[in-house]
Amino acid sequence: MSLPLRGQIQWEDLAVEIAAIGRLPIERVVPEATLIDDLGYDSLAVAELIVLLTEEYEITTLPGDLETRDWSKVTVGQLREECGGGTA
Amino acid sequence: MTETTTPPAFVPQPARIPADQLVSDVGIAERAAEFRAAPLRGPYATLRVIQPEDYPFLRTLETSSEVATRWRLRGTTPGPEQWVQSLWNGVMVQFVVAETKTDKPIGLVALYAPNFQEGHARLGAGRFDLHSRNPVMIFGVAMFLEYVFHGWNLRKLYMDLPEYNYPQFSSGLGRFFDIEGRLREHTFASGRYWDELTLAIYRDRWQSEGARLLGTEASKFGAAADATAGGAA
């Protein structure tokens, strides 16, 4: 088993974290799901996820366009790609 | 003949305090070094004091947009002077929340009606763009909570809001706040009555759970980067 590189997160870990913050069954966390409309994330949950990914996983690319990004369109799959994670 | 004598001049003597009763300064330097000002500027959000030049913008926003019916004025349009009074009525601390990167104002945070005997106060927070899911406002509120709990010995903060404003941060229930009050059909807006909720944010829970929202806000910037704004001497 290989450890994720700094700045990367494995799909399984990302799914677990997204499910935990959103208090969701992990089965709902699929790549095509949008954080807000499909998973019911509010802005507090989005903020929690950003902090977790940047602090715990040292994902430095995520906050780059935090202010201008349309968070209503962000999908789990997009996040996975940005975080350099492995395949599902 | 009576001989007069001049009384000896009073010569103050240095106090003779036993060595074991002297107040020591041992440890003061170490404790002083622990002083930390709560940051007002983070990588995403900045808290800045409201200036008179902000008034026209804020008043227009509060009285003429969708914010007008959702916020404290509830659709009323007080005159300019009355509006300024209402902005500061009972307020202890109030900031504009702005995006750090652009300095664009995105919301207001306020602490009002403090009760230091009972150790609580009321929190107000509102974003200007009601439809935005941008999390920057959350980081601003988190910084404000840290500022408040860091600066005053309050044990809990109440936040009153009609239920239609609750979904913006409902995911924090049980982790960052509790619902401690609910007035049934208390508020009339948008053609119907709504429940009024009172949320409670506890100092100890904030410090153990909520403060992690400050991860990027505080740990990388902290007081050293913002000593002036944070009020350090």
Side-chain angles (χ1 to χ4, degrees), chain A residues 20-21 23 36 40-48 50-51 54-55 60 62-69 71-72, chain B residues 43-44 99 101 127 133-136 138-139 167-177 212-213 215-216 219-220:
Chain A
I21 290 173
R23 297 177 176 180
I36 291 175
Y41 263 48
D42 56 22
S43 50
L44 176 56
V46 173
E48 278 191 86
I50 290 167
V51 169
T54 53
E55 295 291 311
T60 55
L62 192 59
D65 60 350
L66 192 74
E67 298 84 0
T68 55
R69 180 182 300 223
W71 287 94
S72 65
Chain B
Y44 309 126
E99 292 178 352
K101 194 178 288 183
R127 71 165 77 222
R133 295 294 189 272
N134 186 320
V136 176
I138 296 295
F139 292 125
Q168 300 174 49
F169 44 83
S170 60
S171 67
L173 178 64
R175 293 182 298 150
F176 300 128
F177 60 81
R212 63 190 153 90
L213 282 172
T216 48
S219 64
K220 291 180 181 172

Side-chain angles (χ1 to χ4, degrees), chain A residues 3-68:
Chain A
L3 293 173
L5 299 173
R6 178 182 173 184
Q8 289 190 343
I9 181 172
Q10 295 298 320
W11 163 255
E12 293 80 6
D13 296 328
L14 179 62
V16 166
E17 300 288 9
I18 289 174
I21 290 173
R23 297 177 176 180
L24 304 161
I26 197 166
E27 295 78 20
R28 287 186 57 191
V29 183
V30 294
E32 58 272 21
T34 58
L35 284 178
I36 291 175
D37 287 340
D38 294 335
L39 301 184
Y41 263 48
D42 56 22
S43 50
L44 176 56
V46 173
E48 278 191 86
L49 182 62
I50 290 167
V51 169
L52 184 133
L53 293 175
T54 53
E55 295 291 311
E56 299 293 325
Y57 294 95
E58 299 183 340
I59 306 291
T60 55
T61 58
L62 192 59
D65 60 350
L66 192 74
E67 298 84 0
T68 55

Side-chain angles (χ1 to χ4, degrees), chain B residues 175-195:
Chain B
R175 293 182 298 150
F176 300 128
F177 60 81
D178 295 319
I179 297 177
E180 292 196 346
R182 183 167 191 159
L183 298 175
R184 301 284 183 188
E185 299 190 343
H186 177 80
T187 301
F188 188 87
S190 187
R192 54 162 286 191
Y193 283 101
W194 305 81
D195 292 355

